[in-house]
Amino acid sequence: VSNDSIAINAQSSGEISSVNFKPGSWVKKNDVLFVLQSNDSGAQLDQLAAAMNIAKERYQRNQKLIQLSADAISEIDFEQSKAIYQQALAQYQEAKIIHTIRSPIDGIISDTNWGVGDFVNMGDELASVVDTHYREVKYELPSASLNQIKLGQAVLFSPEDSQQSYAGTVSYISPLLNINDDSVTVRAVMPSATNLPLNMFGIIIQTLDPAYKTIAISQDYVQADT
């Protein structure tokens, strides 16, 4: 499993005008995933763009005048026109960002229940992006072993239908027992399992007491009769 999954939420209310990904595909950080269009966002963006362009033209005109002659306009007027342009530009860029939903990380994006034409409210969860670089195995051990389970213990994971095993170490021990069977949930980081698909099942081998020793006797020396 991956323990790093980030929900993609709508930052504003509006109608989805574009879905720019295929479910299950790889997306990069800052890739545009959804574009929202509110009822008045088109007119609002046009107004902000017009105000930004007017402020930009005034600032550039004053900039040329002050380059030609330091006395052409006052320094206060020049700085004021610059501040107005920067503010108008920031407002326009902020308005565009609000209606553009981007991926916060690199990863695999989930399916979505939303499509073009659907209206979403601020805070609605649209999809999730899973970071596949961070792999863990999640499993349960009997509560009787709780005192022997330690962080950093070695773990070996063998996926089903595979002869290969992957080494890892215990990274999490649940402080609570599972109500149904009194087991304890454990997670182990698997840095070498990046080529495995997520949500795989397999066999876990964990040595709880590496100092525990036994005597192994060949079966040739064991008698089964009385």
Side-chain angles (χ1 to χ4, degrees):
V1 297
S2 172
N3 198 32
D4 194 357
S5 176
I6 298 180
I8 307 299
N9 297 319
Q11 301 170 357
S12 62
S13 299
E15 182 179 305
I16 296 177
S17 60
S18 177
V19 178
N20 302 325
F21 66 89
K22 181 180 179 181
S25 62
W26 177 267
V27 295
K28 295 182 179 179
K29 184 178 180 179
N30 292 326
D31 279 355
V32 176
L33 304 178
F34 297 90
V35 177
L36 300 183
Q37 186 79 26
S38 60
N39 294 333
D40 60 346
S41 65
Q44 181 184 5
L45 286 176
D46 290 343
Q47 292 174 0
L48 291 173
M52 179 197 65
N53 288 329
I54 293 174
K56 181 180 179 180
E57 290 175 0
R58 181 185 176 189
Y59 165 64
Q60 290 178 340
R61 182 173 63 252
N62 290 343
Q63 191 176 37
K64 290 180 179 178
L65 289 174
I66 206 169
Q67 288 175 350
L68 293 174
S69 173
D71 299 328
I73 60 171
S74 67
E75 186 176 349
I76 295 178
D77 289 339
F78 173 72
E79 292 297 333
Q80 185 179 19
S81 67
K82 180 180 179 181
I84 292 175
Y85 166 61
Q86 290 176 337
Q87 182 180 6
L89 177 61
Q91 289 176 342
Y92 175 70
Q93 291 176 336
E94 182 179 359
K96 288 182 66 178
I97 293 173
I98 287 175
H99 300 285
T100 302
I101 301 176
R102 299 175 180 271
S103 176
I105 60 171
D106 295 347
I108 296 176
I109 189 164
S110 69
D111 199 356
T112 178
N113 296 322
W114 305 90
V116 175
D118 289 339
F119 186 87
V120 298
N121 294 308
M122 181 183 297
D124 283 345
E125 184 173 335
L126 307 181
S128 296
V129 179
V130 179
D131 182 1
T132 60
H133 295 96
Y134 187 78
R135 302 296 181 89
E136 291 182 335
V137 289
K138 178 183 177 183
Y139 54 101
E140 284 74 37
L141 291 177
S143 59
S145 306
L146 184 58
N147 292 333
Q148 295 178 289
I149 306 171
K150 307 295 181 184
L151 294 177
Q153 283 179 333
V155 167
L156 206 61
F157 174 62
S158 300
E160 290 181 343
D161 303 325
S162 175
Q163 300 297 323
Q164 187 173 357
S165 297
Y166 299 86
T169 55
V170 174
S171 58
Y172 168 78
I173 304 169
S174 175
L176 303 174
L177 296 181
N178 298 316
I179 298 176
N180 296 330
D181 56 4
D182 284 338
S183 63
V184 58
T185 298
V186 183
R187 289 178 179 265
V189 179
M190 308 298 294
S192 62
T194 54
N195 62 323
L196 289 178
L198 295 173
N199 305 317
M200 290 193 68
F201 291 89
I203 296 174
I204 289 289
I205 298 176
Q206 180 175 341
T207 303
L208 297 180
D209 184 6
Y212 182 82
K213 297 179 180 180
T214 62
I215 298 177
I217 303 175
S218 172
Q219 64 181 0
D220 295 337
Y221 300 100
V222 177
Q223 288 183 244
D225 54 31
T226 57

